[in-house]
Amino acid sequence: MIVAAKLEAAGVVCPLVTNVAQLDALPGDLQAVVLARKMRLIPAEAAQKEARAAAAAFARRGARTIFYKYSALFDSTDRGNIGPVAEALTAVTGAARTLFCPAYVDLGVTLYQGHMFAGPMLISETPKRFDPMTPATTSNVVAKLRGQTTWPVGLVDHRMLAQGAAAVSARLEVQSDIPFWVMDAIDEADVATIAALSRDWKFVTGADSLPPAILRDRRGEAAPQPGSGRRLLPPASGHEAVIAGSCGQATQLQLDAFAKTHPVWQVDLARDGDTPGMADAIVGWAAERLAAGPVAIATTTDKDGVAAAQAAFGHEGASERADRLLGQVAARLRELGVGKFVIAGGETSGAILNALDVGRLEVGGYDELLGGYCHAPGARPTSFVLKPGGMGDTLFFFTALDRLREAEHG
């Protein structure tokens, strides 16, 4: 979503679709398209199958480059699926090599000597180490990737990048037996070098900083251009709801702020994860309150709550129950007339879009809503702000709802 928003802000219309059929149905004159699939935590073989199907669909469209986007935190388990998906896409595209640039320098996520930093801290020393599904057990991206693949992995460090794209390209040609290269990136200059290096590559991987840089390189732009993306998308009428599945600290603070003025149903997943009729109870509670203003439903909890849910259902079982419950609730809320949703958590966002059968989204330009503002047209127009769990200030939910109201009322 953020990539689409950043490209929109650069003046490129970039729709987001959620399945291959929708991708095939798009008009043929687009410069960029984002296909969003939930592959992060599924079995590696299934993720590779998804990747091959996506690559075939992009090939039918004549795509010049396939960019595999993952979290700027290199969000994956020790086994994958970043490595396995990269293997599949390297093979199917016929690429000689690919690179890994999980940097988001705008937000202080950088790589130095192959280690990931969030601001001044190694990622393994941040609260990310407590993530219930993909804890940051190491900051060493090279080591983590090597644990996910049998393919050789090399490092292009900051000193090598400073020599320029031509020098890096020459080194990669000499070491042609290494197909995977992790790239340091501590600032926009590094990202620009990586963009120039990969300008004509068939397949590239990375996080949020690199796709706009590749676009600028292909346009011959030396620096980011002023944003021209749409601030307001088509309107969606109806009630408003916040749904939070992330257990990130930012989301917890945002929920606390929201709860001071609006009703919140806090799900105790360890206690109620298998309770019959839980979705019915939540929807009944919401139905009595929606006319008075927005409500929130959350499985967000602290690390003790996460541990209790995982003890009850296992790591994957707890996550699956949370996403299934929130998806059921979202579908019922839309039946009650909710047309504006703010959703916290990447996996949660994917689960809810699937539950609502959303196939295509128009995306707003990147701004204070962190690239998450989007709109699903159709017989029942619905607008969303989708927020990564660890991002946003304390008042983010209020800011997001204000934008959705502005689109509706002008």
Side-chain angles (χ1 to χ4, degrees), residues 36-266:
R37 299 296 295 163
K38 190 174 179 180
M39 301 191 302
R40 184 173 65 119
L41 297 174
I42 65 177
E45 295 79 6
Q48 290 178 318
K49 183 178 180 180
E50 288 263 7
R52 294 187 190 101
F58 280 116
R60 291 193 292 271
R61 299 189 62 88
R64 175 176 171 180
T65 299
I66 292 177
F67 188 92
Y68 171 35
K69 158 70 171 65
Y70 39 75
S71 163
L73 303 181
F74 210 68
D75 209 9
S76 57
T77 68
D78 290 340
R79 301 184 306 275
N81 285 330
I82 294 175
V85 169
E87 290 176 358
L89 290 174
T90 301
V92 76
T93 59
R97 64 185 61 86
T98 194
L99 63 85
F100 297 78
C101 180
Y104 195 171
V105 296
D106 292 1
L107 296 183
V109 180
T110 58
L111 266 77
Y112 182 69
Q113 296 297 323
H115 286 73
M116 178 173 288
F117 290 81
M121 298 179 67
L122 289 165
I123 191 65
S124 56
E125 296 175 356
T126 71
K128 176 64 179 169
R129 67 188 188 275
F130 300 121
D131 187 291
M133 296 303 296
T134 54
T137 55
T138 179
S139 64
N140 189 330
V141 175
V142 176
K144 187 161 188 175
L145 183 58
R146 284 174 176 164
Q148 299 180 7
T149 179
T150 59
W151 294 18
V153 180
L155 171 67
V156 174
D157 63 22
H158 178 67
R159 184 172 59 177
M160 172 60 72
L161 280 174
Q163 298 177 30
V168 176
S169 181
R171 175 185 173 184
L172 300 192
E173 288 295 334
V174 169
Q175 296 185 266
S176 59
D177 58 328
I178 300 178
F180 286 174
W181 290 92
V182 173
M183 301 276 164
D184 274 2
I186 67 171
D187 53 26
E188 289 288 358
D190 285 347
V191 175
T193 299
I194 296 167
L197 168 70
S198 58
R199 179 186 304 143
D200 297 315
W201 288 19
K202 297 177 182 179
F203 171 50
V204 182
T205 91
D208 305 88
S209 287
L210 190 51
I214 293 174
L215 173 68
R216 293 193 298 271
D217 182 83
R218 290 180 176 179
R219 287 176 165 180
E221 298 169 354
Q225 299 301 299
S228 59
R230 293 172 290 176
R231 174 177 170 77
L232 294 179
L233 297 173
S237 60
H239 301 310
E240 305 162 352
V242 173
I243 300 180
S246 166
C247 293
Q249 185 177 27
T251 299
Q252 294 182 43
L253 295 173
Q254 290 152 2
L255 271 175
D256 290 344
F258 188 82
K260 292 177 181 178
T261 53
H262 297 289
V264 176
W265 182 297
Q266 182 67 59

Side-chain angles (χ1 to χ4, degrees), residues 232 235-238 240 340 401-410:
L232 294 179
S237 60
E240 305 162 352
K340 297 181 280 292
L401 289 170
D402 285 344
R403 179 74 63 84
L404 299 181
R405 293 166 189 156
E406 184 181 355
E408 181 181 9
H409 302 296

Side-chain angles (χ1 to χ4, degrees), residues 279-303:
D280 293 336
I282 295 171
V283 172
W285 168 88
E288 298 175 354
R289 293 164 174 81
L290 283 169
V295 303
I297 298 95
T299 56
T300 301
T301 185
D302 58 19
K303 63 180 181 181

Side-chain angles (χ1 to χ4, degrees), residues 340-371:
K340 297 181 280 292
F341 288 91
V342 179
I343 305 173
E347 293 293 311
T348 304
S349 296
I352 289 175
L353 292 179
N354 287 337
L356 298 180
D357 196 26
V358 173
R360 177 179 176 180
L361 289 165
E362 299 179 43
V363 179
Y366 189 89
D367 56 21
E368 65 268 25
L369 296 186
L370 306 174

